[in-house]
Every structure is written in structure tokens, then in C-alpha cells.
Amino acid sequence: METSLGQSYNPFRFYNGQTNGVQTISHQTDTVEGADLRAGIVIPVVSDDTKLILTGSLGKRRYLEDTTLDHLQGGVDADFQWVASRLLSGRVNVGEGRHLFNYINGGLTEKDIEHDKNAGIEVNVKVTDSWSLMPKLFYSQLQYDLPVNQLYDNKQDGKQLGLRYFSPTGSSIEGGVRVSTTNFTDRNPAQVAFYDLPFVESKVKPEYDTQYKETEYYFDAEWRYSVKTTTSAHVGTVQRHYSTYNNLDTHLSNAILRTTYRYSPQLRLDLQLYDQPFPIVDPSILYVASKGLRFDALWLYSDKLQFNTSAVIQNSSQVYIPGVPTNGGIAQTSRMKRIGFGASYEIERGFRLFADSFFEKDRGDVPSLNVGQSVIKLGIEYTFENLPGSAARMNLQRYQDYLSTSPAVR
């Protein structure tokens, strides 16, 4: 159980100097009250290795100034992990959740809620003690409440096949292919033919599509240099093909490099470099290619007190749908700096006081990309476990709003 009180600066992410047609919009600071309940259970089936993990979360956010942002958030997940023999194992998972829309740059000033669903089947076939074949099926769905965003409602299904080698030292390498199909479920024929933008001349009509297919050829590696240092990498090339408009077809790169250094039992340092494409909800942008560096540190000062920090520097290039005019036809670039601080203190067994925060500043080639946002939150959390470490084993922390750790790179 968690209750918190926070200060949110610029929740709609208005850009600097944004106007409503008459006057400049002031960047609002709002007080946010939060309450959350998270729970989970592990049910052994046949043996401790074959088990069903059920988890869920329900939370409420109440804004004292702009009450239109009040909302419920949460999710439920079921994860069945099974082991048939030394050579055959796998998992089946399903889940769904809801949370507040991730606002971009003040273009939307109404509350919108994102609803997501996911499911997957994974199998691990040990061909030998060192080699494993790893087929996977997956499905995801994303829907929005507001009609203006329902243009981006989509369903994705796909499959993946990888071959992994494990060395006696714990290092591993994997190569494989991932194929997926994404369908935009709420686009009508008129929107596929063209889509009118209010700020673009009527003769210019960006093209939309109802479906695209992606094929990614990837290579993963993890190198356990020592008990203190682990380095991993993901390198992939993605080919995206649209069903109606071939001029939207593109080739993308997907690369992540991670290094974890455990300086001591009390201090852990993580560094990530990435070059990835991200989808974005905007009526003129096809995708955003982001390159960045992320640093995280966790310091266990004592058994009761710990601190953490995170810093991100990122450059993002917005790739526009053909037909949308930009500055001389050149893709616009945004530069983001984000830093987060957090701390927690265990008052007594199960009770934890915490502070959480982040501060973000974006600067770009055009005024609409100059955005600043920050959130500071204080709270208290109570956790009951019938077995120590149960919450971590069930991964309940994925339901928490960790502001001081930047969003995970996948």
C-alpha cells in the first residue's frame, strides 16, 4: 500500500511561449494526491519450478487544481512459468493495464487514458547443455479514450525465433529474427486515403496506412567480465513495410549497449547507450529516431537508507510523413536532458518513507519542441510479505511510478 503527495510542474507539457491564440499559456504547477494498492501471489503447481504468478495494481491520482486530470490507473497480470524437464521449459503470460496518456508538447489539453493489453508464449528448448532454441509468440494492443488519438489505436502480433549459446562462465550470445504485424484498428478508408491537418494547406495531404509489417534481424550478447562487471548488447536491423503506401517503407536500426558495475555490495552503477526508433502520437510524424546516453546509480547507505539517481542525455530526430512541410524539408531535432533523484528510509519492517523526483528540459529546432517538466513526490509505503523477497520475486515494482529512474530502454 502506498500513499503520496506530489508537485507536478507543467503536466500538459506546454512549450515555452505557447499561446491559446490570445495570450501566452502559463505553465501550471499542480498538487497531486496518490493512493495505490499492489498485490500478488505465487501458486506452485506440481513443483516450485512450475508456478503461477498473479499480480495486480489499482491506484488513484487526484489533482487539486485541474481536476479534469483525476484518473484511476493500474493493471493485472498472470504469468505461468513451467518446467517439463531439464531440456524443456517456458512461460505463458497475459496482462492489461491503464494509465494517463504521455503528453508530448501541449498539443493536447484534455485528459486521455491509454489502455494496453499483452500476451505471450515462450519456449526454451535445450538442444545441448550450451545451445538453446528459443521460439516466442507475442501480442499487444493499445487503445485511447479520446477520439483525436484513436487514429493510433493498434494491435500487434508476431513471432520470434532465437538461438542462444551459454558459456561455462555465464556469458551468452544469441542471434535470431523477429517478425510482427501492426494493424491500426480505427482508421477508416477516408483517413487511409488522406488526412486533413488543420495547420496545413488543404492541397497537402499526408498519407496514412492501416498496417505495416516489421522484420528485425538481431544479435544479442552478454559478457560477464567478472563478478562485478557485466556488459550486454542488442544490435538489430528493422525493415518496415506498409501495406498501402510503399513510400512510407523504411529501414531502421535498433541498438542498445549496457554495462553494469557493482563497485561494492552498497554501490551499483549502470551505463546505457542506445540508438532506437520510437513511435509517437502526432498527426505528422512517422517515427522518432533517438540516440542517447543514460546513467543510473544505486547507493545502499545502510540497511535502512538508500539513494538513487538517474541522468539522460538524448537527441531525437523527428521523421515526418511525406507531404508534411518542415523547415526546408529537414527533419527537426530535439535535445533532451533529464535527471532524477530518489531516496527511501525504512522506518521499521515493512514501512518505508520515500522521496522521488525528476527534472526534464527539451530544446529543439522549433519553439514547439522547447518543453520543461518536473515532478517531486513524497510518500509512505507499507509492504507485507509472508516470505521475504516475495514482492521482488513477483516483480511488483513494475507497477510503481519510478520518477527518479528514467523510462526503461528495451
Side-chain angles (χ1 to χ4, degrees):
M1 294 181 290
E2 176 186 309
T3 182
S4 63
L5 186 67
Q7 286 284 323
S8 177
Y9 170 74
N10 197 15
F12 282 114
R13 295 178 62 86
F14 293 120
Y15 60 84
N16 297 344
Q18 183 169 351
T19 67
N20 57 11
V22 179
Q23 59 185 2
T24 301
I25 300 175
S26 60
H27 291 184
Q28 172 184 322
T29 298
D30 211 331
T31 300
V32 186
E33 296 176 344
D36 294 88
L37 176 64
R38 298 181 286 271
I41 184 172
V42 179
I43 306 173
V45 180
V46 182
S47 68
D48 289 340
D49 292 330
T50 298
K51 54 186 176 289
L52 176 64
I53 303 176
L54 303 175
T55 58
S57 173
L58 179 62
K60 183 176 182 179
R61 297 294 179 268
R62 179 170 174 260
Y63 289 73
L64 301 191
E65 298 294 333
D66 188 350
T67 58
T68 63
L69 281 173
D70 293 355
H71 65 277
L72 295 174
Q73 64 182 39
V76 291
D77 291 278
D79 187 0
F80 179 61
Q81 303 173 9
W82 57 271
V83 177
S85 68
R86 186 179 65 87
L87 303 178
L88 187 62
S89 60
R91 63 188 292 251
V92 179
N93 66 282
V94 295
E96 62 177 276
R98 54 173 285 153
H99 56 89
L100 188 66
F101 174 69
N102 186 22
Y103 294 94
I104 303 169
N105 60 353
L108 181 65
T109 57
E110 297 179 77
K111 180 181 71 176
D112 197 6
I113 301 295
E114 299 181 20
H115 305 264
D116 59 85
K117 298 180 181 179
N118 63 83
I121 300 175
E122 301 176 21
V123 179
N124 184 358
V125 183
K126 294 192 69 175
V127 182
T128 68
D129 288 339
S130 300
W131 291 91
S132 290
L133 196 63
M134 309 176 72
K136 178 191 299 186
L137 299 174
F138 56 89
Y139 169 85
S140 65
Q141 179 178 341
L142 180 62
Q143 294 179 306
Y144 299 92
D145 283 351
L146 280 182
V148 68
N149 279 340
Q150 288 172 0
L151 186 69
Y152 301 91
D153 289 357
N154 66 81
K155 295 180 181 179
Q156 182 187 76
D157 61 86
K159 48 189 176 291
Q160 178 177 315
L161 181 62
L163 181 64
R164 180 177 294 180
Y165 169 77
F166 296 89
S167 76
T169 61
S171 300
S172 66
I173 57 174
E174 178 183 340
V177 59
R178 181 179 185 271
V179 181
S180 65
T181 300
T182 299
N183 289 284
F184 296 96
T185 56
D186 290 312
R187 293 183 179 177
N188 58 48
Q191 290 171 323
V192 175
F194 59 83
Y195 186 72
D196 288 301
L197 298 177
F199 51 85
V200 176
E201 297 179 7
S202 58
K203 64 181 179 180
V204 180
K205 300 181 185 300
E207 298 163 334
Y208 284 81
D209 216 319
T210 56
Q211 181 190 95
Y212 65 78
K213 296 183 178 181
E214 284 189 343
T215 301
E216 178 182 12
Y217 297 94
Y218 69 89
F219 176 80
D220 287 346
E222 183 173 294
W223 179 33
R224 296 186 181 273
Y225 175 75
S226 67
V227 294
K228 290 186 174 183
T229 305
T230 301
T231 299
S232 63
H234 173 92
V235 179
T237 175
V238 182
Q239 300 174 5
R240 179 182 293 181
H241 299 284
Y242 286 81
S243 62
T244 305
Y245 297 107
N246 295 331
N247 62 310
L248 299 182
D249 292 355
T250 186
H251 296 270
L252 307 168
S253 61
N254 182 17
I256 311 169
L257 176 66
R258 295 184 176 97
T259 297
T260 298
Y261 178 55
R262 297 170 178 83
Y263 177 81
S264 69
Q266 289 77 37
L267 181 61
R268 169 176 167 157
L269 307 174
D270 291 271
L271 182 67
Q272 298 184 18
L273 300 172
Y274 56 90
D275 179 1
Q276 291 188 305
F278 293 94
I280 191 169
V281 180
D282 187 284
S284 59
I285 297 174
L286 189 60
Y287 65 90
V288 176
S290 297
K291 297 178 175 63
L293 179 149
R294 167 179 166 177
F295 171 78
D296 292 272
L298 175 62
W299 180 28
L300 305 177
Y301 179 80
S302 67
D303 292 339
K304 293 181 175 293
L305 181 61
Q306 70 176 43
F307 301 92
N308 66 279
T309 186
S310 173
V312 178
I313 300 175
Q314 175 178 288
N315 282 2
S316 299
S317 178
Q318 299 183 353
V319 179
Y320 285 82
I321 292 174
V324 176
T326 62
N327 293 346
I330 301 175
Q332 295 173 358
T333 300
S334 172
R335 294 163 293 278
M336 183 263 283
K337 296 179 181 178
R338 186 185 196 275
I339 189 167
F341 298 100
S344 67
Y345 179 74
E346 187 176 15
I347 307 171
E348 58 179 77
R349 184 179 178 86
F351 285 92
R352 185 176 73 100
L353 287 173
F354 66 88
D356 206 11
S357 65
F358 82 87
F359 307 86
E360 181 179 320
K361 180 181 290 187
D362 294 71
R363 293 293 179 264
D365 297 336
V366 294
S368 62
L369 297 178
N370 298 332
V371 177
Q373 186 181 23
S374 63
V375 178
I376 300 175
K377 183 172 72 171
L378 302 174
I380 184 169
E381 177 188 270
Y382 170 71
T383 303
F384 168 79
E385 302 172 305
N386 64 331
L387 292 175
S390 297
R393 184 183 178 190
M394 291 181 283
N395 195 24
L396 279 181
Q397 63 266 29
R398 70 182 177 278
Y399 295 117
Q400 293 179 255
D401 295 327
Y402 280 119
L403 306 174
S404 53
T405 57
S406 46
V409 178
R410 296 184 293 273

